Amino acid sequence: MSANLNTALPLEYQTEQNRMNILGFWIFLGAEIILFATLFATYSVLSTRFAGGPTQNDLFEIKGVMTETILLLTSSFTCGLAIYEMHRGNKKGLLTWMIITLLLGAGFVGLEINEFITYVHEGATMQTSAFLSSFFVLLGTHGLHVSMGIGWAVMVMIQIVKRGLTPVTARKAFIIGLYWHFLDVVWIFIFTFVYLKGMVS
Amino acid sequence: MGIKWDKFFITGDPLILGSQIAILLTMIGIVALVTYLKKWKWLWREWFTTVDHKRIGIMYILMGVLMFFRGGVDGLLMKAQTATADGKLLDAQHYNEVFTTHGVIMILFMAMPLLIGIMNVIIPLQIGARDVAFPQLNALSFWLTFSGAMLFNISFVIGGSPDAGWTAYFPLAGKEFTPGIGNNFYAVAIQIAGIGTLMTGINFIVTVLKMRVKGMTLMKMPMFTWTSFITSIIIVASFPILTVALALMTFDRIFGTHFFTLGGGGLDMMWVNLFWLWGHPEVYIVVLPAFGMFSEVISTFSRKMLFGYKSMVFSIVGIAFLSMLVWVHHFFTMGAGPAVNSIFSITTMMIAIPTGVKIFNWLFTMRKGRIQFTTAMLWALAFVPCFIIGGTTGVMLAMGAADYQYHNSLFLVAHFHYVLIPGVVFAVFAGLYYWWPKMFGHMLNEKLGKLHFWFFVIGFNMTFLPMFFLGLDGAVRRSYTYSAETGFGPLMLVSAIGAGILAIGFGFLCYNIYWSARYADRNISSDPWDARTLEWATASPAPFYNFAKLPEVKSLDAFWYMKKNNDGLELRENEIKEIHMPSNSGLPIIMAIVFGIAGFFLIFEWKIAALVAALGIIAGLIVRSFDYNDGFHVPVDEIKATEKAWRKVDKEVKDHVS
Amino acid sequence: MFKKNYLVPLAAILPVLLLSGCDMNMVVFDPQGPVAREILDLINWSLVFMLLVVVVVFGLFGYIVWKYRATSKNKDYEPPEEHGSTKLEIIWTFIPILIVIALTIPTIKTIYKLEKVPEGYENKKPITINVTSADWKWIFSYPEQGIETVNYVNIPADTPINFKLTSAGTMQSFWVPALGGQKYTMAKMETQMYLVADHPGEYIGRNTNFNGKGYAGMEFTVEAKSPQAFAKWVKDVKSKAPKLTEKSYINLLKPSNLGRETFSNTHLAWVNHADMNAKIYTFPELYRNHDYPGQIFKDPDNHTNEKTEGKSMDMNNMDMSGKSNGGEHSGH
C-alpha cells in the first residue's frame, strides 16, 4: 500500500496503512488504559490488607523511587526529542536520542528490580499479603511493559539503521514513542497513588 | 519439577475413557485422510496461512460449529443426569466439570467464534473493503482463539477439567478448595483466546472507521456493521478486565499470591466484581452482532428498509453504554446495601428501553412488507417471541428485591438461555442460512433447514420453559441431583426430552451442511435473496479481492439503491486496475502453537518450561517486526477473467427463492 | 402458510402456564412469612406488566406476520420504503420508560423494606442466629441461648429472626424460599437478613451458590415452633447435647455432607468467621480429585494441622477419589 504516498503529511502518516496502524495503536493504548485501571483498582482495594505483613510505610523509600521517577520522566523527554529529530529527517539525531532514552529506561528497570530484591530480602514477597500481591503485580506489569518496550525499540532502531527513514520505519518509531509516553503517564499514576499516597498514610 | 505421569491422563471413568479413545481415533483418522488425499500442502497454503478475512471467518465458523457440538454434548449429559430424581449417570465431580465446560465453551468458544466468524466474512464486504485493516493480526486472532479452545478442550482427558463453574467464583476456584490443575485450564486457556478476541476488537474498529468505501458515511452503514462496530468497542473496553482478572487468578493459583484467596487478606468479592465487569458486557458482545443479523434478515425478507434506522443506532449505542453499568445485578444477593442494589436495579431495567425500541422497529419493518418465510427469516421470526420471554423475565430478575427469590435458581438458568439462544444462536443460524451462498457459492437446503428450525425451536422451548417453574419451586442450578420428594421429576423429564429434540434439530443442521456441500445447485445468482447491502454486489463466493471495482455508496441499503437505479452494477473493462493484496503468512499459526505450548506448561505448573516457551512468543514478535513483505498485486487479466466468469453466469440464472 | 401459527398457541399457553404456576403451589408463590410475602407482592406486580408486554407484542407480532405474509396473490406488491416514524418511535420509547418507572418504585421500596424488621414485628425482640456455612453443611449458632446446631435450625414462629450470615470457606447463599429471599455467606464478611415464619411448620432451606462436590446435599430444615416448644427445645439442648471443642469443630469444618448435630455451646467462643482477621481453617489436601495435582501453598494463617489430621480423619460420606494423596505436599 506504499503506492499512494501523501507527502504533505508527516512521514509516519504518509500511507493509508500507516494511518491505520497508528489509529489501531491508539485503540490498543485505550485497552492498555483499561488494563492498568483495573490493576490500579485492584491495588486500591487491597492496599490496606496486610495480613500481618509489612505496610507501605515499612517498605517504601522515597530516594530510590525519586531516582526511578526522574529517570523515566527524563527518558520520556528524550524520546520526544528523538521523534522531533525524526520529523526533521535527522536519522542520526533520532538514533542518538533513542539510545539515551533506552539507557534511561534500562536504568529505571534496573533500579526497580533492585527495589524488588530489597523488598524480598526484607521478607516482603508477593505471597506475603494481598497488599504485596497487588503491589508487585501492578508494578511488575509496568516494569515488564518498559522492558518489552526497550527490546522492541532496539528492533526498530536496527531497522532504521538498515533501511533509513522510510514511512514504514518512521511509523514504527512514532508508535514506540507513543508507547513510551504512555508508560511514563502510567508511572506518574503509580508514583502518586502507590508511593506518595502510601508514604503519607 | 517431578512429573507425575500416572496422573497425566484422567483415568477411571468409562465415559472419559471412551472419549479418549474416540479423540485418538479421530485424530489418527484425520491425519491419515489428509495424508492419503495429499492435502497437507493445500491445507497449509490455502487455509493455515491464509490472511483472507473470508477464509478466516469460515474457519471461525467451523470451529464454532465443532464447539457447539462439544458444548451440546455437555448440555445433553447434564439433562440426562437430571432427567430423573437421583440420577446415576454422572457423579458430582463429573457433573461439576460438565456444566463448567458447557458454560465456558458455549459462550467463549461457540457463540464468540460463530459471531466473529460471520463478522469476518461479512463486514469487509458490507463496507466495500478488500480485507480488514490488519489481515495478519486477524489470522493471529483466529489461531489464538483456536489454540485457547483446543487447550481448554483437552482438559477433560489430560490434566482434569475445570470444575468451579464458568464463573469460577473464588475462594472455590482457588488452590485452597480446588488444588488440582483443572482450574488452571480455565485461567490460561481463556486468557489465550481472550487476547485473540481483544485483537479482533481493535482490528474491526479500525476497519470500520478507516476502510469504508467512498460515500458510506457512518449513518449509511448496514445495521450489522453498526452492531459489529459497537461490539468491537465493547470488546476493547471490557476484555482487558478479563485479561487482568484471569492473570490475577493465574497468579493466585500458580504463584501463591493472595488476590482472591481466603488467606493472606485476599478478597473473593473482587473476583466476582471483576468477572462481571467483563461478563456483563460480554453478554452484549454476543447479542449485539446478533441483533444486526436479524436486522439484515428481516429487512431483506420483508423487502423493506429497516424501520427507524436512526433509533436503532441510538439503541445499540445506549445498550453498549448501559452494559458497562449493570454488572452488580449478577450479585444483588451479596448484601452490598439497598442503595447499591436500587441503583443497579434501575440501570438494568433501563436496558429494556432501547431493547424494546429495537423490537418494535423490527415489527414495523415487517409491517407493510412482503414477508417471505425462508429458513433465515423463520429464525428471525422465532427470535421475537422467544426473546420477549427472555427479556421480560430479565426485567423481573432486574428487580433487586425479587431477585432474592430467583437468584441461582433454574428460573435464572431458563432466563439466560431464553436470552442467549434466541438472541445469539437463532441469529447465527439465520446468518448462516442467509450468508451461506456468499461464503460457499451454494445455498443450504431449505427443506432440511425447516426441519432444523422446527425441531430446534420446539426442543428449545420444551427444554427451558419448564425451568422457569422449577426455579420458582426452589430448584437450584448446578445441582447434580435432587430427591424424588422435591417433585421436580416430571418437569425435569420434559426438559430433558426437549433437549433431545433440540439436539435432533442441530443434527439436521450438520446433515444440511453435508448434503448441501455435496448436492446443492452451484448455478446460483450472486444475489439469490434479492438483498440490499453491498456484500451481494460481488460474486458468490466472493473472489479473494472482494470487489473488482470498489462500489460507490449513495444511500442506505446501497446495493438496493444500485439495483433500483441501475447505477454502478456494470463493470467496464477499462475500470479494472491492479489490486494490491496482503501475502499469506505462516507466522500466526506458529505463534498460536507456541502460545498453546507455553500455556500448556503453565497449566501444569512447569514454570521454567513455560518461560522457555514464552521466549518463543517473543521470537515470533521479533520475526514479525522484521517482516517487510508488502503483499502482491493481482494482475488485471486475472481480475478480468474472474469477473467475466461470474457476471456471465449471473445473467443466466434466476434467483432461487420464490 | 400456517407455519408461524405455532407462536399463537405459545402466546396463549404462556400466561396460562404462568397463572397455573401460581396454583401449583410453587414455593415462591406460597409464602409462609411476611418477608416472602413482601417479595411475592412485588413479583405479582411485575408479572402483570410483563404479561401485558407479552400479550401486546405477541399479538402485534402475530397480526403483522399474518397480514403481511407473502402469498401468490400479492406477488407484485412492492413494499413502500419508509424510514421510520418519529411519532411511533417516541411512543415506544416512552411506554417502556413508564413501565420501568412503575416497576422501579415498588422495587426500591421493597429493597429498603427487606433490610428492616418486617412490618408489624418492630416491637418484638428479634432472636439472633449466626449462620456459618462450611463445605458442605450449615452451622447455626444461637449466641443468646448458647447452643449450636448443624443442618437444621429451630426458630420460634411469629418472631423475627435476625440471621447473621458468614462462611468458613467458600462463598455460599442462604435461601429459605418459603420464608424469604436469599443472601450470600462469605468468609471474613457478615451479611444479614430478617426472616419470620407465620406459623409453626417445617421449611426447606438450601445453598444456591455452587461450592464444589457436596453442593447438591447442602440442604437444611427450618423448623418453626411455638414459642413454648422452642423454649423447651433450647432447655433440652442445654442439658443434654454434647459440648463442641475447637478440635472437634475443625473436624466439623472438613469437607463432608453431614446429618443433623446439636451442641450445647457455640463455636463463636474461639472463632467468628465474620471477623476481618478471623482464623482460617482450610484443608486443601482433602479436596484432591482425579485431576493432576497442583502445588498447594502454605498459609501461615491456617489453624488446622492437616499433616496429622488430614489422613486419619475420614468422615466423608462422599466418594472422594484421589484423597489418598493426602500427605503428598509439593509446597514451596
Side-chain angles (χ1 to χ4, degrees), chain B residues 93 97 159 175 181 269 304 308 311 333 368 370-371 373 404-405 407-408 454 472-473 477 605, chain C residues 1 3 27-28 68 70 74 77 82-83 89 175 177 182 184 189 208-209 215 289-292 295:
Chain B
Q93 176 62 28
E97 294 175 5
K175 276 290 178 62
I181 62 158
M269 288 184 289
K304 270 183 75 205
S311 61
T333 53
K368 293 188 190 166
R370 187 171 178 273
I371 304 169
F373 297 96
Y404 301 160
Q405 286 284 36
H407 186 69
N408 275 349
W454 286 110
L472 292 172
D473 201 19
R477 70 195 292 204
E605 304 182 2
Chain C
M1 286 313 287
K3 281 177 178 165
V27 62
V28 169
Y68 298 103
N74 64 9
Y77 170 62
E82 46 176 359
H83 288 263
E89 284 163 51
W175 189 31
Q182 60 192 299
Y184 283 172
M189 183 66 59
T208 73
N209 200 52
Y215 162 69
N289 244 316
H290 62 190
D291 52 359
Y292 190 87
Q295 183 184 353

Side-chain angles (χ1 to χ4, degrees), chain B residues 302-305 307 364-370 532 560, chain C residues 68 77-83:
Chain B
S302 308
R303 294 178 65 81
K304 270 183 75 205
M305 71 192 308
F307 191 91
F364 275 69
T365 306
M366 291 191 280
R367 197 182 71 130
K368 293 188 190 166
R370 187 171 178 273
R532 316 175 72 84
W560 187 260
Chain C
Y68 298 103
Y77 170 62
E78 195 53 41
E81 292 292 324
E82 46 176 359
H83 288 263

Side-chain angles (χ1 to χ4, degrees), chain C residues 135 194 202:
Chain C
D135 282 359
Y194 288 104
E202 265 195 27

Side-chain angles (χ1 to χ4, degrees), chain A residues 16-27:
Chain A
E16 182 59 26
Q17 188 64 45
N18 273 5
R19 290 191 287 273
M20 290 199 293
N21 279 28
I22 291 168
L23 176 65
F25 194 77
W26 275 109
I27 296 167

Side-chain angles (χ1 to χ4, degrees), chain C residues 41-70:
Chain C
D41 288 345
L42 183 67
I43 291 176
N44 282 334
W45 175 253
S46 70
L47 271 178
V48 171
F49 285 93
M50 294 303 110
L51 281 177
L52 188 76
V53 171
V54 167
V55 168
V56 169
V57 179
F58 278 36
L60 193 62
F61 172 79
Y63 170 77
I64 289 176
V65 171
W66 180 254
K67 172 140 194 228
Y68 298 103
R69 71 198 189 281

Side-chain angles (χ1 to χ4, degrees), chain A residues 1-2 16-17 20-21 23-24 27-28 31 34-35 38-39 42 45-46 49 51 126-127 129-130 133-134 137 155 158-159 163 168-169 172, chain B residues 133-134 198 202 205-206 209-211 236-237 240-241 243-244 248 251 255-259 264-267 270 274 580 622 625-626 628 630:
Chain A
M1 313 214 170
S2 45
E16 182 59 26
Q17 188 64 45
M20 290 199 293
N21 279 28
L23 176 65
I27 296 167
F28 173 76
I34 290 163
L35 185 136
T38 314
L39 285 172
T42 306
V45 170
L46 298 180
R49 297 177 154 252
M126 64 194 248
Q127 285 96 351
S129 67
S133 298
S134 57
V137 168
M155 297 303 138
I158 294 171
Q159 290 168 40
R163 292 167 181 272
V168 176
T169 53
K172 290 188 177 194
Chain B
F134 313 115
L198 182 59
I202 295 174
I205 292 177
V206 179
L209 284 180
K210 284 277 188 188
M211 297 181 77
V236 173
I241 305 173
T243 305
V244 171
L248 303 186
F251 274 110
F255 300 100
T257 55
H258 292 289
F259 288 101
L267 193 60
M270 199 171 63
L274 290 179
H580 177 263
I622 293 172
S625 181
F626 281 89
Y628 274 76
D630 197 29

Side-chain angles (χ1 to χ4, degrees), chain B residues 261-331:
Chain B
T261 55
L262 186 56
L267 193 60
D268 48 4
M269 288 184 289
M270 199 171 63
W271 166 266
V272 180
N273 275 284
L274 290 179
F275 181 84
W276 287 115
L277 264 166
W278 161 78
H280 199 85
E282 165 69 16
V283 174
Y284 292 90
I285 290 170
V286 293
V287 160
L288 282 184
F291 283 176
M293 292 184 209
F294 286 131
S295 300
E296 305 289 352
V297 168
I298 288 176
S299 156
T300 299
F301 294 112
S302 308
R303 294 178 65 81
K304 270 183 75 205
M305 71 192 308
L306 197 61
F307 191 91
Y309 176 89
K310 273 188 196 155
S311 61
M312 284 300 227
V313 173
F314 291 133
S315 305
I316 48 175
V317 175
I319 290 174
F321 178 72
L322 286 172
S323 77
M324 313 275 174
L325 305 173
V326 297
W327 78 96
V328 170
H329 73 219
H330 293 272
F331 44 94

